[in-house]
Amino acid sequence: MYSILIIEDEKRIADLLQKGLEENGYQTMVAYDGAMGLRLFRSHSFHLVISDIILPKLDGFELCKEIRKSNPKIPVLMLTALGSTDDKLDGFDAGADDYMTKPFDFRELTARVKVLLRRDIGTEANRPPEHLDYADLSINFNRQEVRRQDIPIKLSPKEYNLLVYMVENAERVISRVEIAEKVWNTHFDTGTNFIDVYINYLRKKIDKEFEVKLIHTKPGIGFILTDKP
């Protein structure tokens, strides 16, 4: 099954793209800013990237250039409200393979996606990542090994999966509902505190012995992994 990374800061459009593409048989992941999109791209294997241009933290042109540095072959489709000829040329210069302007016809979008995915994108696009890094924390996927400041940290399988998801979504608040669905593949029961329990387990192993704390609670909202105060 083809996997597509959607990078779009407008949630309504991101939800529309995700729902429509998944209904057409594609797997998707969504990032709501350019920096998060780049982190997801570097930590997962995708066959296609769909990106807006006007994005928080890292704009679509710079994001595309960074993607091209990592993988010059993966198809990139820019989907944006910027529709001038100069904007399109800038997009192609940054490394985009195709360019669509908003508002868009979803049937045309899926047709372009199919064309881009027919290309032989080689082995690089399908090669799984070997590691994921954030601040002084490093996760080695091949060995399922976690280190902080090069100190090995032993985690249970669930703690490991929770940490990977939090690092993949670093600097974004994650709700308990989202964690339950994405990490445990279950619906969140407000009568239980199992997610808070595992967050505390993770804190003791990841943060307790280190000056800079990475896992933070946002009361009434959820949790965030960040090295920023």
Side-chain angles (χ1 to χ4, degrees), residues 104-124:
F104 60 93
D105 186 310
F106 198 83
R107 293 170 300 174
E108 181 183 355
L109 174 74
T110 54
R112 295 193 186 205
V113 165
K114 288 177 182 177
V115 170
L116 290 171
L117 288 173
R118 284 194 199 111
R119 297 180 178 179
D120 179 10
I121 57 178
T123 59
E124 289 298 317

PDB file of all heavy atoms in Angstrom, residues 104-124:
ATOM      1  N   PHE A 104      -9.260  23.149  -5.221  1.00  0.00           N
ATOM      2  CA  PHE A 104      -8.895  22.101  -6.168  1.00  0.00           C
ATOM      3  C   PHE A 104     -10.010  21.076  -6.276  1.00  0.00           C
ATOM      4  O   PHE A 104     -10.847  20.935  -5.375  1.00  0.00           O
ATOM      5  CB  PHE A 104      -7.601  21.410  -5.731  1.00  0.00           C
ATOM      6  CG  PHE A 104      -7.696  20.758  -4.372  1.00  0.00           C
ATOM      7  CD1 PHE A 104      -8.053  19.424  -4.237  1.00  0.00           C
ATOM      8  CD2 PHE A 104      -7.436  21.495  -3.221  1.00  0.00           C
ATOM      9  CE1 PHE A 104      -8.146  18.826  -2.988  1.00  0.00           C
ATOM     10  CE2 PHE A 104      -7.526  20.903  -1.962  1.00  0.00           C
ATOM     11  CZ  PHE A 104      -7.879  19.569  -1.851  1.00  0.00           C
ATOM     12  N   ASP A 105     -10.028  20.380  -7.398  1.00  0.00           N
ATOM     13  CA  ASP A 105     -10.961  19.279  -7.615  1.00  0.00           C
ATOM     14  C   ASP A 105     -10.289  17.999  -7.129  1.00  0.00           C
ATOM     15  O   ASP A 105      -9.199  17.655  -7.606  1.00  0.00           O
ATOM     16  CB  ASP A 105     -11.304  19.173  -9.108  1.00  0.00           C
ATOM     17  CG  ASP A 105     -12.387  18.135  -9.388  1.00  0.00           C
ATOM     18  OD1 ASP A 105     -12.248  16.991  -8.898  1.00  0.00           O
ATOM     19  OD2 ASP A 105     -13.352  18.446 -10.091  1.00  0.00           O
ATOM     20  N   PHE A 106     -10.928  17.300  -6.199  1.00  0.00           N
ATOM     21  CA  PHE A 106     -10.284  16.127  -5.615  1.00  0.00           C
ATOM     22  C   PHE A 106     -10.056  15.027  -6.641  1.00  0.00           C
ATOM     23  O   PHE A 106      -9.070  14.289  -6.546  1.00  0.00           O
ATOM     24  CB  PHE A 106     -11.103  15.581  -4.439  1.00  0.00           C
ATOM     25  CG  PHE A 106     -10.307  14.675  -3.549  1.00  0.00           C
ATOM     26  CD1 PHE A 106      -9.496  15.194  -2.556  1.00  0.00           C
ATOM     27  CD2 PHE A 106     -10.321  13.298  -3.732  1.00  0.00           C
ATOM     28  CE1 PHE A 106      -8.720  14.366  -1.754  1.00  0.00           C
ATOM     29  CE2 PHE A 106      -9.557  12.460  -2.932  1.00  0.00           C
ATOM     30  CZ  PHE A 106      -8.753  13.005  -1.952  1.00  0.00           C
ATOM     31  N   ARG A 107     -10.910  14.958  -7.649  1.00  0.00           N
ATOM     32  CA  ARG A 107     -10.721  13.940  -8.686  1.00  0.00           C
ATOM     33  C   ARG A 107      -9.437  14.208  -9.469  1.00  0.00           C
ATOM     34  O   ARG A 107      -8.701  13.277  -9.814  1.00  0.00           O
ATOM     35  CB  ARG A 107     -11.914  13.913  -9.621  1.00  0.00           C
ATOM     36  CG  ARG A 107     -13.217  13.428  -8.981  1.00  0.00           C
ATOM     37  CD  ARG A 107     -14.382  13.657  -9.892  1.00  0.00           C
ATOM     38  NE  ARG A 107     -14.540  15.080 -10.196  1.00  0.00           N
ATOM     39  CZ  ARG A 107     -15.420  15.559 -11.069  1.00  0.00           C
ATOM     40  NH1 ARG A 107     -16.210  14.735 -11.731  1.00  0.00           N
ATOM     41  NH2 ARG A 107     -15.504  16.857 -11.285  1.00  0.00           N
ATOM     42  N   GLU A 108      -9.172  15.490  -9.736  1.00  0.00           N
ATOM     43  CA  GLU A 108      -7.934  15.839 -10.423  1.00  0.00           C
ATOM     44  C   GLU A 108      -6.727  15.537  -9.536  1.00  0.00           C
ATOM     45  O   GLU A 108      -5.700  15.037 -10.014  1.00  0.00           O
ATOM     46  CB  GLU A 108      -7.929  17.322 -10.816  1.00  0.00           C
ATOM     47  CG  GLU A 108      -6.663  17.727 -11.561  1.00  0.00           C
ATOM     48  CD  GLU A 108      -6.604  19.210 -11.885  1.00  0.00           C
ATOM     49  OE1 GLU A 108      -7.597  19.928 -11.621  1.00  0.00           O
ATOM     50  OE2 GLU A 108      -5.553  19.645 -12.391  1.00  0.00           O
ATOM     51  N   LEU A 109      -6.861  15.828  -8.249  1.00  0.00           N
ATOM     52  CA  LEU A 109      -5.762  15.546  -7.324  1.00  0.00           C
ATOM     53  C   LEU A 109      -5.424  14.064  -7.325  1.00  0.00           C
ATOM     54  O   LEU A 109      -4.248  13.684  -7.434  1.00  0.00           O
ATOM     55  CB  LEU A 109      -6.127  15.997  -5.910  1.00  0.00           C
ATOM     56  CG  LEU A 109      -5.108  15.633  -4.828  1.00  0.00           C
ATOM     57  CD1 LEU A 109      -3.883  16.519  -4.930  1.00  0.00           C
ATOM     58  CD2 LEU A 109      -5.712  15.730  -3.436  1.00  0.00           C
ATOM     59  N   THR A 110      -6.427  13.202  -7.200  1.00  0.00           N
ATOM     60  CA  THR A 110      -6.159  11.760  -7.159  1.00  0.00           C
ATOM     61  C   THR A 110      -5.569  11.276  -8.485  1.00  0.00           C
ATOM     62  O   THR A 110      -4.726  10.379  -8.491  1.00  0.00           O
ATOM     63  CB  THR A 110      -7.431  10.965  -6.828  1.00  0.00           C
ATOM     64  OG1 THR A 110      -8.484  11.326  -7.743  1.00  0.00           O
ATOM     65  CG2 THR A 110      -7.895  11.253  -5.416  1.00  0.00           C
ATOM     66  N   ALA A 111      -5.996  11.883  -9.595  1.00  0.00           N
ATOM     67  CA  ALA A 111      -5.430  11.505 -10.891  1.00  0.00           C
ATOM     68  C   ALA A 111      -3.939  11.856 -10.942  1.00  0.00           C
ATOM     69  O   ALA A 111      -3.112  11.063 -11.421  1.00  0.00           O
ATOM     70  CB  ALA A 111      -6.172  12.213 -12.016  1.00  0.00           C
ATOM     71  N   ARG A 112      -3.582  13.029 -10.418  1.00  0.00           N
ATOM     72  CA  ARG A 112      -2.172  13.429 -10.413  1.00  0.00           C
ATOM     73  C   ARG A 112      -1.356  12.556  -9.461  1.00  0.00           C
ATOM     74  O   ARG A 112      -0.203  12.231  -9.748  1.00  0.00           O
ATOM     75  CB  ARG A 112      -2.051  14.902 -10.027  1.00  0.00           C
ATOM     76  CG  ARG A 112      -2.668  15.849 -11.042  1.00  0.00           C
ATOM     77  CD  ARG A 112      -2.252  17.274 -10.770  1.00  0.00           C
ATOM     78  NE  ARG A 112      -2.933  18.222 -11.639  1.00  0.00           N
ATOM     79  CZ  ARG A 112      -2.446  19.409 -11.954  1.00  0.00           C
ATOM     80  NH1 ARG A 112      -1.273  19.796 -11.483  1.00  0.00           N
ATOM     81  NH2 ARG A 112      -3.125  20.230 -12.734  1.00  0.00           N
ATOM     82  N   VAL A 113      -1.964  12.196  -8.338  1.00  0.00           N
ATOM     83  CA  VAL A 113      -1.287  11.314  -7.396  1.00  0.00           C
ATOM     84  C   VAL A 113      -0.964   9.985  -8.069  1.00  0.00           C
ATOM     85  O   VAL A 113       0.157   9.451  -7.942  1.00  0.00           O
ATOM     86  CB  VAL A 113      -2.151  11.097  -6.134  1.00  0.00           C
ATOM     87  CG1 VAL A 113      -1.649   9.909  -5.322  1.00  0.00           C
ATOM     88  CG2 VAL A 113      -2.161  12.358  -5.277  1.00  0.00           C
ATOM     89  N   LYS A 114      -1.916   9.444  -8.792  1.00  0.00           N
ATOM     90  CA  LYS A 114      -1.707   8.161  -9.475  1.00  0.00           C
ATOM     91  C   LYS A 114      -0.571   8.253 -10.482  1.00  0.00           C
ATOM     92  O   LYS A 114       0.254   7.344 -10.597  1.00  0.00           O
ATOM     93  CB  LYS A 114      -2.994   7.711 -10.160  1.00  0.00           C
ATOM     94  CG  LYS A 114      -4.078   7.248  -9.200  1.00  0.00           C
ATOM     95  CD  LYS A 114      -5.348   6.884  -9.942  1.00  0.00           C
ATOM     96  CE  LYS A 114      -6.450   6.475  -8.977  1.00  0.00           C
ATOM     97  NZ  LYS A 114      -7.720   6.188  -9.696  1.00  0.00           N
ATOM     98  N   VAL A 115      -0.524   9.360 -11.234  1.00  0.00           N
ATOM     99  CA  VAL A 115       0.540   9.545 -12.228  1.00  0.00           C
ATOM    100  C   VAL A 115       1.904   9.602 -11.544  1.00  0.00           C
ATOM    101  O   VAL A 115       2.865   8.952 -11.982  1.00  0.00           O
ATOM    102  CB  VAL A 115       0.297  10.829 -13.049  1.00  0.00           C
ATOM    103  CG1 VAL A 115       1.518  11.157 -13.894  1.00  0.00           C
ATOM    104  CG2 VAL A 115      -0.921  10.658 -13.950  1.00  0.00           C
ATOM    105  N   LEU A 116       1.992  10.370 -10.455  1.00  0.00           N
ATOM    106  CA  LEU A 116       3.263  10.499  -9.747  1.00  0.00           C
ATOM    107  C   LEU A 116       3.722   9.166  -9.149  1.00  0.00           C
ATOM    108  O   LEU A 116       4.909   8.854  -9.134  1.00  0.00           O
ATOM    109  CB  LEU A 116       3.143  11.552  -8.639  1.00  0.00           C
ATOM    110  CG  LEU A 116       3.001  13.006  -9.117  1.00  0.00           C
ATOM    111  CD1 LEU A 116       2.661  13.924  -7.943  1.00  0.00           C
ATOM    112  CD2 LEU A 116       4.277  13.487  -9.790  1.00  0.00           C
ATOM    113  N   LEU A 117       2.765   8.386  -8.666  1.00  0.00           N
ATOM    114  CA  LEU A 117       3.119   7.114  -8.030  1.00  0.00           C
ATOM    115  C   LEU A 117       3.489   6.038  -9.037  1.00  0.00           C
ATOM    116  O   LEU A 117       4.073   5.014  -8.662  1.00  0.00           O
ATOM    117  CB  LEU A 117       1.969   6.624  -7.154  1.00  0.00           C
ATOM    118  CG  LEU A 117       1.752   7.427  -5.866  1.00  0.00           C
ATOM    119  CD1 LEU A 117       0.489   6.965  -5.158  1.00  0.00           C
ATOM    120  CD2 LEU A 117       2.957   7.305  -4.939  1.00  0.00           C
ATOM    121  N   ARG A 118       3.161   6.246 -10.306  1.00  0.00           N
ATOM    122  CA  ARG A 118       3.536   5.262 -11.325  1.00  0.00           C
ATOM    123  C   ARG A 118       5.031   5.291 -11.617  1.00  0.00           C
ATOM    124  O   ARG A 118       5.583   4.374 -12.204  1.00  0.00           O
ATOM    125  CB  ARG A 118       2.787   5.529 -12.639  1.00  0.00           C
ATOM    126  CG  ARG A 118       1.332   5.088 -12.597  1.00  0.00           C
ATOM    127  CD  ARG A 118       0.742   5.049 -13.999  1.00  0.00           C
ATOM    128  NE  ARG A 118      -0.706   5.081 -13.937  1.00  0.00           N
ATOM    129  CZ  ARG A 118      -1.451   6.103 -14.323  1.00  0.00           C
ATOM    130  NH1 ARG A 118      -0.874   7.201 -14.803  1.00  0.00           N
ATOM    131  NH2 ARG A 118      -2.757   6.054 -14.230  1.00  0.00           N
ATOM    132  N   ARG A 119       5.662   6.380 -11.261  1.00  0.00           N
ATOM    133  CA  ARG A 119       7.087   6.510 -11.537  1.00  0.00           C
ATOM    134  C   ARG A 119       7.883   5.464 -10.760  1.00  0.00           C
ATOM    135  O   ARG A 119       7.525   5.054  -9.663  1.00  0.00           O
ATOM    136  CB  ARG A 119       7.586   7.894 -11.123  1.00  0.00           C
ATOM    137  CG  ARG A 119       6.944   9.012 -11.909  1.00  0.00           C
ATOM    138  CD  ARG A 119       7.509  10.318 -11.426  1.00  0.00           C
ATOM    139  NE  ARG A 119       6.967  11.433 -12.183  1.00  0.00           N
ATOM    140  CZ  ARG A 119       7.280  12.698 -11.953  1.00  0.00           C
ATOM    141  NH1 ARG A 119       8.122  12.989 -10.981  1.00  0.00           N
ATOM    142  NH2 ARG A 119       6.763  13.667 -12.678  1.00  0.00           N
ATOM    143  N   ASP A 120       8.982   5.086 -11.333  1.00  0.00           N
ATOM    144  CA  ASP A 120       9.912   4.226 -10.608  1.00  0.00           C
ATOM    145  C   ASP A 120      10.729   5.117  -9.697  1.00  0.00           C
ATOM    146  O   ASP A 120      11.666   5.797 -10.135  1.00  0.00           O
ATOM    147  CB  ASP A 120      10.832   3.487 -11.585  1.00  0.00           C
ATOM    148  CG  ASP A 120      11.830   2.601 -10.864  1.00  0.00           C
ATOM    149  OD1 ASP A 120      11.689   2.418  -9.637  1.00  0.00           O
ATOM    150  OD2 ASP A 120      12.742   2.092 -11.533  1.00  0.00           O
ATOM    151  N   ILE A 121      10.366   5.139  -8.414  1.00  0.00           N
ATOM    152  CA  ILE A 121      11.038   6.049  -7.495  1.00  0.00           C
ATOM    153  C   ILE A 121      12.234   5.400  -6.828  1.00  0.00           C
ATOM    154  O   ILE A 121      12.846   5.963  -5.935  1.00  0.00           O
ATOM    155  CB  ILE A 121      10.044   6.582  -6.445  1.00  0.00           C
ATOM    156  CG1 ILE A 121       9.397   5.439  -5.678  1.00  0.00           C
ATOM    157  CG2 ILE A 121       9.003   7.444  -7.097  1.00  0.00           C
ATOM    158  CD1 ILE A 121       8.448   5.894  -4.593  1.00  0.00           C
ATOM    159  N   GLY A 122      12.592   4.189  -7.273  1.00  0.00           N
ATOM    160  CA  GLY A 122      13.823   3.569  -6.779  1.00  0.00           C
ATOM    161  C   GLY A 122      13.701   3.072  -5.351  1.00  0.00           C
ATOM    162  O   GLY A 122      12.634   3.089  -4.741  1.00  0.00           O
ATOM    163  N   THR A 123      14.787   2.648  -4.811  1.00  0.00           N
ATOM    164  CA  THR A 123      14.775   2.041  -3.484  1.00  0.00           C
ATOM    165  C   THR A 123      14.873   3.065  -2.372  1.00  0.00           C
ATOM    166  O   THR A 123      14.512   2.791  -1.234  1.00  0.00           O
ATOM    167  CB  THR A 123      15.935   1.057  -3.333  1.00  0.00           C
ATOM    168  OG1 THR A 123      17.173   1.756  -3.543  1.00  0.00           O
ATOM    169  CG2 THR A 123      15.824  -0.068  -4.354  1.00  0.00           C
ATOM    170  N   GLU A 124      15.386   4.257  -2.659  1.00  0.00           N
ATOM    171  CA  GLU A 124      15.614   5.213  -1.591  1.00  0.00           C
ATOM    172  C   GLU A 124      14.324   5.611  -0.892  1.00  0.00           C
ATOM    173  O   GLU A 124      14.279   5.760   0.322  1.00  0.00           O
ATOM    174  CB  GLU A 124      16.305   6.466  -2.147  1.00  0.00           C
ATOM    175  CG  GLU A 124      17.750   6.253  -2.543  1.00  0.00           C
ATOM    176  CD  GLU A 124      18.605   5.859  -1.354  1.00  0.00           C
ATOM    177  OE1 GLU A 124      18.457   6.452  -0.273  1.00  0.00           O
ATOM    178  OE2 GLU A 124      19.417   4.953  -1.506  1.00  0.00           O
TER     179      GLU A 124
END
